């Protein structure tokens, strides 16, 4: 390299550090530049097939463990139960940890880690039972969820793989639900508390989906948006109430929430949000038809009108996907 | 500096935490400032309706006979004393119950009531099954305390007079 090249390199590096400091570029984006060339199609399909076998194998092992536990559960003493359940989880986790650290067996390591993630809840529940904390009561469930959340969250930071994220979210949600249930264990739950809790969890999932889109975790974005909008719209439609107990404010707001959902699906270029929005629009049409038109128009005519409107919404949704979502997603 | 991705993360984690704080405040704050003062007696069992209060004491009425030649029978009733300071119920005999002077009013002198809640906790996903709210509760002044998990065959008899 000559002097001019060195100057240029220094300049680029200083610009790069300025971008890093301002947060406009992250470590992963830089590391991606050093990555080898993309695998060929044949290599890609080999990798996919290998992953498929690992996933299938892990699933069969999980089924095997569950069936084994189920068959002999009644005959086992508590210590054996703990050894079998928590023991399987810890063994699978250790093997997964070892294999994941080897470059060649990374994927296989993930399969073992999946086995441990699924068996940990049973293992921790059985262990708590041994020390006298019932896993069938809200207090026990809250403790199990909290321990799982800590394990999954720590594992996510240790392994830096997205595999743990759905488990982190599931355990976090479980802590939230069981803990709020625990708070109301000996008191009357306020009216519509479950619906508002669903609404809050829905907004949380949507916010996390947006967060994952910003930090480039595409696998999590679809899951979070899908579940988030199901919870959000599901809780909202129940809050509208059913005749004769209609809640006017929610009844009025619900169509706007559906429009907002379609708008967000276009903004986020998300087919999942569009599908959920469409299904809940169908649900609202059928709900309104049964509540307001079935008696005045009669069921047959109300159904024909509802069917036509649903076809119209379906066509609209299809067109939105074709023109605005698919079109914009293409590079 | 505040990063762009921080806001959705704050909303995502902050909203559930806010709800937990709200729940804790609505459940526990009123009970810190309002304590029910009057213990009460209630009856449970299929025949609990035959337990009444007459002249401020518990009375168990005989069950009517079903057949012309059948003698009337004693009702099968369990009587409980609910201690508001300990928040627990204690099984007592009819004789013990008769030692107390009762006020059968629906509302206690300090403004609490005992009522059955038959509504099941509503849920639209298995995830949101919050356990059942069914049971009998002591409620008033923003406080609600579960007296028993029974929401049927439980009859409130009266407040213990001080």
């Amino acid at each position: 390299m000559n002097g001019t090249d060195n100057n240029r390199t220094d300049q680029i590096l200083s610009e790069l550090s300025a971008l890093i400091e301002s947060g406009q570029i992250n470590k992963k984006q830089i590391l991606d530049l050093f990555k080898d060339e993309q695998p060929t199609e044949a290599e890609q399909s080999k990798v996919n097939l290998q992953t498929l076998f690992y996933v299938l194998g892990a699933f069969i092992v999980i089924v095997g463990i569950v069936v084994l536990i189920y068959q002999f559960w009644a005959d086992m003493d508590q210590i054996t139960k703990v050894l079998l359940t928590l023991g399987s989880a810890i063994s699978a986790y250790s093997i997964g940890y070892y294999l994941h650290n080897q470059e060649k067996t990374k994927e296989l390591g993930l399969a073992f880690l999946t086995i441990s993630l699924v068996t940990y809840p049973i293992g921790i529940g059985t262990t708590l039972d041994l020390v006298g904390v019932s896993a069938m009561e809200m207090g026990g469930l809250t403790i199990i969820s909290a321990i799982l959340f800590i394990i999954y969250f720590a594992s996510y930071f240790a392994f830096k793989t997205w595999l743990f994220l759905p488990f982190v979210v599931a355990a976090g949600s479980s802590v939230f639900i069981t803990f709020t249930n625990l708070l109301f264990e000996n008191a009357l739950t306020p009216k519509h508390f479950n619906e508002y809790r669903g609404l809050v969890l829905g907004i949380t999932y949507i916010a996390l989906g947006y967060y994952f889109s910003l930090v480039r975790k595409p696998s999590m974005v679809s899951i979070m948006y899908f579940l988030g909008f199901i919870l959000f719209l599901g809780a909202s439609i129940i809050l509208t109430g059913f005749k004769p107990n209609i809640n006017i404010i929610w009844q009025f707001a619900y169509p706007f929430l559906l429009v907002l959902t379609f708008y967000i699906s276009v903004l986020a270029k998300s087919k999942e949000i569009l599908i959920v929005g469409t299904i809940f629009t169908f649900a609202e049409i059928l709900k309104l038809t049964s509540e307001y038109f079935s008696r005045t128009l009669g069921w047959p005519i109300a159904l024909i009108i509802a069917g036509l409107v649903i076809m119209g919404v379906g066509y609209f949704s299809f067109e939105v996907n074709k023109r605005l979502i698919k079109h914009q997603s293409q590079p | 500096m505040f990063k762009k991705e921080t806001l959705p993360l704050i909303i995502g984690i902050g909203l559930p935490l806010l709800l937990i704080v709200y729940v804790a405040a609505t459940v526990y704050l009123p009970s810190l400032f309002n304590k029910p003062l009057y213990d009460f007696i209630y009856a449970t069992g299929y025949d609990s309706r035959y337990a009444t209060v007459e002249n401020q004491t518990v009375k168990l009425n005989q069950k009517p006979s079903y057949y012309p030649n059948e003698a009337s029978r004693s009702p099968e009733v369990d009587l409980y004393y609910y201690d508001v300071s300990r928040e627990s119920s204690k099984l007592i005999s009819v004789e013990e119950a008769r030692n107390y002077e009762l006020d059968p009013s629906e509302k206690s002198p300090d403004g609490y009531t005992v009522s059955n809640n038959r509504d099941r906790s509503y849920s639209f996903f298995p995830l949101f099954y919050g356990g059942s709210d069914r049971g009998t509760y002591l409620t008033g002044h923003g406080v609600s305390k579960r007296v028993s998990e029974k929401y049927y065959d439980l009859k409130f008899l009266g407040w213990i007079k001080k």
Side-chain angles (χ1 to χ4, degrees):
Chain A
M1 266 200 292
N2 58 30
T4 325
D5 283 342
N6 277 338
N7 285 343
R8 186 161 159 63
T9 310
D10 288 344
Q11 192 193 338
I12 290 170
L13 284 173
S14 100
E15 280 174 15
L16 199 58
S17 23
L19 285 172
I20 292 167
E21 269 176 35
S22 64
Q24 292 178 57
I25 196 163
N26 61 34
K27 196 175 172 183
K28 190 180 176 298
Q29 285 169 297
I30 296 166
L31 287 176
D32 281 347
L33 298 174
F34 291 97
K35 276 193 179 160
D36 295 331
E37 282 176 17
Q38 291 296 310
T40 62
E41 223 169 88
E43 281 168 339
Q44 189 81 51
S45 100
K46 192 179 153 197
V47 170
N48 288 343
L49 200 65
Q50 209 174 10
T51 313
L52 183 73
F53 281 135
Y54 291 154
V55 171
L56 209 66
F59 177 72
I60 292 168
V61 172
I62 291 165
V63 171
I65 292 172
V66 170
V67 172
L68 184 76
I69 291 170
Y70 178 75
Q71 274 182 337
F72 298 103
W73 195 251
D75 303 324
M76 286 187 279
D77 59 42
Q78 200 63 26
I79 304 265
T80 319
K81 284 177 185 173
V82 171
L83 284 176
L84 185 69
T85 53
L86 192 66
S88 316
I90 294 174
S91 313
Y93 195 85
S94 314
I95 297 169
Y97 179 79
Y98 174 76
L99 294 174
H100 189 264
N101 282 344
Q102 316 292 316
E103 194 54 44
K104 281 185 178 172
T105 53
K106 225 178 174 68
E107 299 278 320
L108 187 60
L110 288 180
F112 272 92
L113 286 171
T114 311
I115 295 170
S116 78
L117 296 182
V118 176
T119 44
Y120 262 126
I122 314 169
I124 293 167
T126 318
T127 313
L128 284 182
D129 253 349
L130 182 72
V131 295
V133 180
S134 172
M136 303 307 287
E137 286 172 13
M138 261 332 144
L141 283 173
T142 308
I143 296 171
I144 294 172
S145 310
I147 295 173
L148 286 173
F149 180 75
I150 293 167
I151 293 174
Y152 295 157
F153 199 66
S155 303
Y156 171 69
F157 277 99
F159 292 94
K160 292 268 186 277
T161 169
W162 78 273
L163 172 78
F164 291 97
L165 284 176
F167 289 91
V168 172
V169 173
S173 309
S174 181
V175 171
F176 171 60
I177 290 161
T178 52
F179 185 63
T180 40
N181 281 347
L182 184 68
L183 289 174
F184 279 122
E185 200 169 32
N186 288 314
L188 267 173
T189 317
K191 216 176 174 190
H192 301 305
F193 174 71
N194 274 331
E195 289 87 317
Y196 282 106
R197 183 166 60 175
L199 205 67
V200 164
L201 204 62
I203 296 170
T204 296
Y205 283 5
I206 294 165
L208 289 179
Y210 182 57
Y211 168 77
F212 288 129
S213 75
L214 293 175
V215 295
R216 293 160 189 268
K217 298 262 185 274
S219 322
M220 285 303 290
V221 177
S222 308
I223 301 172
M224 298 318 295
Y225 278 160
F226 184 70
L227 294 176
F229 275 93
I230 287 180
L231 286 172
F232 181 70
L233 293 176
S236 307
I237 201 169
I238 291 177
L239 283 167
T240 60
F242 298 90
K243 227 176 172 185
N245 302 314
I246 296 289
N247 182 316
I248 296 293
I249 297 169
W250 276 102
Q251 181 82 296
F252 180 74
Y254 193 70
F256 291 100
L257 293 180
L258 288 171
V259 172
L260 184 70
T261 304
F262 284 111
Y263 180 66
I264 294 173
S265 78
V266 176
L267 277 187
K269 301 182 192 86
S270 167
K271 207 189 274 182
E272 292 78 19
I273 302 176
L274 184 70
I275 291 170
V276 175
T278 309
I279 290 170
F280 276 96
T281 308
F282 291 166
E284 175 70 348
I285 292 166
L286 291 174
K287 183 174 171 287
L288 292 178
T289 306
S290 72
E291 282 175 345
Y292 296 101
F293 304 115
S294 59
R295 287 194 184 164
T296 49
L297 295 174
W299 265 110
I301 293 185
L303 279 179
I304 291 168
I305 294 170
L308 288 172
V309 176
I310 285 174
M311 280 161 70
V313 172
Y315 178 75
F316 162 76
S317 169
F318 178 77
E319 282 298 311
V320 167
N321 180 41
K322 200 170 79 178
R323 292 186 187 190
L324 299 169
I325 296 179
K326 243 183 190 172
H327 181 68
Q328 285 182 16
S329 307
Q330 276 162 4
Chain B
M1 212 180 97
F2 201 70
K3 281 187 185 172
K4 196 183 171 190
E5 57 261 30
T6 317
L7 185 66
L9 203 59
I10 290 173
I11 294 172
I13 297 168
L15 263 182
L17 289 178
L18 269 180
L19 190 79
I20 288 175
V21 171
Y22 167 77
V23 167
T26 50
V27 174
Y28 294 104
L29 275 185
S31 58
L32 282 180
F33 303 108
N34 302 303
K35 305 253 183 228
L37 299 172
Y38 290 84
D39 297 347
F40 58 91
I41 290 177
Y42 62 91
T44 66
Y46 183 69
D47 295 336
S48 55
R49 61 201 148 130
Y50 297 108
T52 53
V53 174
E54 275 184 29
N55 298 326
Q56 301 185 340
T57 50
V58 172
K59 185 185 177 197
L60 290 189
N61 297 303
Q62 290 293 83
K63 280 170 76 173
S65 52
Y66 286 116
Y67 306 104
N69 295 329
E70 192 189 25
S72 59
R73 297 160 295 161
S74 298
E76 288 173 20
V77 178
D78 286 329
L79 295 174
Y80 286 92
Y81 180 102
Y82 186 82
D83 186 335
V84 287
S85 58
R86 292 182 180 181
E87 295 179 9
S88 64
S89 299
K90 184 178 75 177
L91 186 65
I92 54 169
S93 64
V94 180
E95 287 68 35
E96 281 177 283
R98 282 185 182 139
N99 290 334
Y100 298 106
E101 213 177 312
L102 297 179
D103 169 10
S105 318
E106 200 179 306
K107 207 172 232 184
S108 70
D110 55 346
Y112 289 88
T113 53
V114 176
S115 55
N116 309 118
N117 182 51
R118 289 162 191 271
D119 292 343
R120 267 177 63 150
S121 191
Y122 197 43
S123 59
F124 56 99
F125 290 122
L127 188 72
F128 288 101
Y129 179 67
S132 180
D133 258 357
R134 283 175 169 176
T136 301
Y137 290 83
L138 172 68
T139 53
H141 305 296
V143 175
S144 73
K145 291 184 190 298
R146 199 199 294 257
V147 172
S148 166
E149 286 183 5
K150 267 185 171 276
Y151 59 93
Y152 58 93
D153 292 342
L154 188 149
K155 189 181 175 189
F156 167 76
L157 292 175
W159 308 98
I160 308 281
K161 282 194 168 181
K162 295 207 174 209

